[in-house]
């Protein structure tokens, strides 16, 4: 205990500290080297770990993820795909594997490989069936197929999307009820309620997109009956949605192609009777609905429908002018003075020279007839 006693040897503790510091420095240096040269690293991995693709856990998942993200940030998307794939293969049950699959999907999207993108989504659904990213990836994949004209593949994506977002809340609610009751504070309950409402709103929006785009896919691929059913489900599920007038309009067009004008006119009527309906669909629905009524020999109703186009803008819209042309023809005998006003409107707003000349000729003829009629009186 005195000053002359020899101090205890601290060599083992110092040696352990130095060894740990050396290992950390080596790992840090390896990480920096891998981030700078991912292609070289991938080649070494394939040679040193031939069983890596068969699931041999050889490298730490966090190191693989950092290396893969570094390659992705540098624009080396091939290496990004390979490294994220390696992470998922070696650590399929690790929480980082979900993020790795999402990043692999994004890299494949940049590389324009839809088949590999589809495989990635399927793998994500198997490994992480309740992942919040599944609806977004299905929507992105559906857009890719739709823009490529692959409407059947896009329809499958949107069908899966609708299924995922409509099943999730039921599954989530059942899972929440299985645990023992817990005492929650009002603030915690409010926070949980807000989070649930935000999640529900997001999934409802994804359902809107999925149902409408599914109908569009069937429409573009020529599957008339499937498209009609899909549009009908959409408007029933979301009657106040901003895209409902477009859905009604497209249903009317499909019914016209099926030679069912009596059904088509009802769909068109829903469009022009909806106040916030987009102008383009509204004015087109007026013309097509009026033509349906003319074909059904309901001329009085057709005239009333065409009159709706008089106040629409812009005044030179092609659908508006087409409706006014039919209105002038139907008014010429019963209401010649009113027909004269419609022809003047057409003459002022028709930009097409030939059409304007024809309207001018009708206008002159109608004015002459009116003058002769007034003299005879």
């Amino acid at each position: 205990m005195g000053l002359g006693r020899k101090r205890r040897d601290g060599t083992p503790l110092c040696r352990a500290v130095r060894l740990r510091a050396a290992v950390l420095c080596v790992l840090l240096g390896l990480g920096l080297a891998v981030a700078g040269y991912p292609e070289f690293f991938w080649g070494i991995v394939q040679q040193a770990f031939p069983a890596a693709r068969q699931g041999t856990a050889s490298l730490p998942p966090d190191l693989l993820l950092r290396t893969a993200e570094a390659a992705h940030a540098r624009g080396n998307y091939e290496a990004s795909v390979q490294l994220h794939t390696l992470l998922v293969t070696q650590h399929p049950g690790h929480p980082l594997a979900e993020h790795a699959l999402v990043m692999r999907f994004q890299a494949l999207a940049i590389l324009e490989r839809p088949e590999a993108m589809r495989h990635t989504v399927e793998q994500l659904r198997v490994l992480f069936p309740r992942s919040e990213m599944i609806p977004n990836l299905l929507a992105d994949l559906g857009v890719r197929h739709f823009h490529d004209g692959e409407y059947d593949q896009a329809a499958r994506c949107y069908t899966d999307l609708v299924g995922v977002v409509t099943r999730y809340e039921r599954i989530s609610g059942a899972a929440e009820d299985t645990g023992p009751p817990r005492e929650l504070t009002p603030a915690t309950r409010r926070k949980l309620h807000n989070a649930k409402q935000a999640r529900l709103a997001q999934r409802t929006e994804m359902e809107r997109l999925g149902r409408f785009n599914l109908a569009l896919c069937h429409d573009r691929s020529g599957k008339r009956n499937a498209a009609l059913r899909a549009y009908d489900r959409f408007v029933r599920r979301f009657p106040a949605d901003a895209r409902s007038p477009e859905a009604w309009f497209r249903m009317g067009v499909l019914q016209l192609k099926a030679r069912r004008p009596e059904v088509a006119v009802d769909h068109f009527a829903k469009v022009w009777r909806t106040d916030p309906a987009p102008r383009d669909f509204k004015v087109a629905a007026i013309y097509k609905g009026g033509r349906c009524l003319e074909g059904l020999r309901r001329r009085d109703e057709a005239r009333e429908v065409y009159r709706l186009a008089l106040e629409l803008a812009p005044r030179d819209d092609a659908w508006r002018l087409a409706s006014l042309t039919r209105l002038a023809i139907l008014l010429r005998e019963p209401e010649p003075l009113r027909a004269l006003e419609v022809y003047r409107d057409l003459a002022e707003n028709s930009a097409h020279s030939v059409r304007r000349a024809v309207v001018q000729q009708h206008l002159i003829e109608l004015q002459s007839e009116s003058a002769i009629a007034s003299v005879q009186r």
Side-chain angles (χ1 to χ4, degrees):
M1 298 297 290
L3 294 175
R5 186 182 178 112
K6 186 177 180 180
R7 295 171 57 187
R8 291 184 179 181
D9 187 8
T11 303
L13 179 59
C14 293
R15 186 182 301 115
V17 171
R18 287 196 297 270
L19 179 60
R20 182 178 180 182
V23 171
L24 291 176
C25 289
V26 169
L27 289 177
L28 179 60
L30 179 61
L32 293 174
V34 166
Y37 303 95
E39 304 92 341
F40 178 72
F41 170 74
W42 178 247
I44 292 177
V45 169
Q46 287 184 316
Q47 294 178 7
F49 305 97
R53 292 184 180 275
Q54 282 69 42
T56 302
S58 305
L59 298 170
D62 54 344
L63 175 62
L64 281 171
L65 185 63
R66 287 197 300 270
T67 307
E69 289 183 340
H72 193 97
R74 293 175 62 245
N76 193 341
Y77 302 114
E78 290 285 356
S80 174
V81 170
Q82 292 171 347
L83 291 167
H84 283 116
T85 302
L86 179 62
L87 191 157
V88 176
T89 303
Q90 293 186 346
H91 309 279
H94 197 280
L96 292 179
E98 179 182 359
H99 180 68
L101 285 168
V102 175
M103 293 297 295
R104 186 175 77 182
F105 180 92
Q106 295 176 358
L108 290 169
I110 296 172
L111 295 172
E112 298 185 354
R113 297 179 184 173
E115 187 62 26
M117 293 165 63
R118 182 187 60 80
H119 176 72
T120 301
V121 175
E122 291 175 354
Q123 193 172 6
L124 180 64
R125 296 182 68 180
V126 171
L127 296 177
F128 303 94
R130 295 184 61 191
S131 171
E132 287 289 335
M133 293 304 299
I134 291 175
N136 295 299
L137 299 192
L138 284 171
D140 291 345
L141 185 58
V143 170
R144 171 79 57 167
H145 284 308
F146 188 89
H147 287 168
D148 291 343
E150 300 170 344
Y151 301 120
D152 290 339
Q153 292 90 328
R156 283 196 288 270
C157 291
Y158 291 124
T159 300
D160 290 345
L161 172 59
V162 172
V164 167
V165 297
T166 53
R167 285 196 303 267
Y168 179 82
E169 288 302 325
R170 294 195 296 270
I171 295 173
S172 177
E176 291 173 359
D177 295 338
T178 57
R182 296 181 301 166
E183 290 293 335
L184 301 176
T185 64
T188 303
R189 279 197 295 267
R190 184 165 56 252
K191 183 178 180 180
L192 291 175
H193 174 75
N194 293 339
K196 184 177 180 180
Q197 292 301 313
R199 185 172 64 249
L200 180 61
Q202 180 183 7
R203 293 200 167 245
T204 301
E205 183 58 31
M206 295 300 292
E207 183 187 354
R208 292 172 187 263
L209 177 133
R211 289 193 181 279
F212 186 81
N213 288 351
L214 175 60
L216 276 181
C217 290
H218 290 319
D219 198 345
R220 293 289 183 90
S221 59
K223 298 178 180 179
R224 182 186 304 149
N225 293 331
L228 284 170
R229 288 193 297 270
Y231 282 129
D232 185 66
R233 292 191 189 102
F234 174 78
V235 296
R236 288 178 183 275
R237 179 73 175 85
F238 305 106
D241 189 86
R243 288 161 288 194
S244 289
E246 180 180 354
W248 285 120
F249 179 83
R250 293 184 181 278
M251 291 172 71
V253 172
L254 290 172
Q255 294 290 3
L256 269 182
K257 292 180 179 179
R259 298 185 179 182
R260 293 192 286 264
E262 68 284 354
V263 180
V265 71
D266 291 336
H267 294 324
F268 291 133
K270 289 183 174 68
V271 181
W272 74 62
R273 289 171 183 165
T274 303
D275 289 336
R279 183 197 58 79
D280 292 342
F281 291 108
K282 191 168 188 175
V283 66
I286 289 172
Y287 175 76
K288 289 184 176 292
R291 295 294 286 172
C292 289
L293 291 169
E294 285 191 75
L296 295 170
R297 300 182 182 280
R298 295 156 60 179
R299 295 167 66 89
D300 291 341
E301 294 180 55
R303 279 197 297 269
E304 295 307 311
V305 171
Y306 289 138
R307 288 181 196 271
L308 299 175
L310 285 168
E311 304 302 324
L312 295 179
R315 313 290 287 178
D316 59 347
D317 181 86
W319 290 111
R320 176 182 182 274
L321 297 178
S323 297
L324 295 188
T325 300
R326 297 304 308 169
L327 176 61
I329 293 172
L330 294 177
L331 288 175
R332 186 158 181 167
E333 290 184 6
E335 301 180 55
L337 294 180
R338 186 59 178 155
L340 193 61
E341 295 178 6
V342 176
Y343 275 125
R344 290 196 182 102
D345 190 323
L346 287 168
E348 292 175 3
N349 297 294
S350 296
H352 195 279
S353 58
V354 176
R355 187 177 303 153
R356 189 167 58 250
V358 173
V359 170
Q360 290 284 2
Q361 181 63 33
H362 285 300
L363 185 59
I364 293 172
E365 291 175 0
L366 196 55
Q367 287 174 337
S368 300
E369 292 173 4
S370 300
I372 294 173
S374 61
V375 170
Q376 291 177 348
R377 290 175 188 170

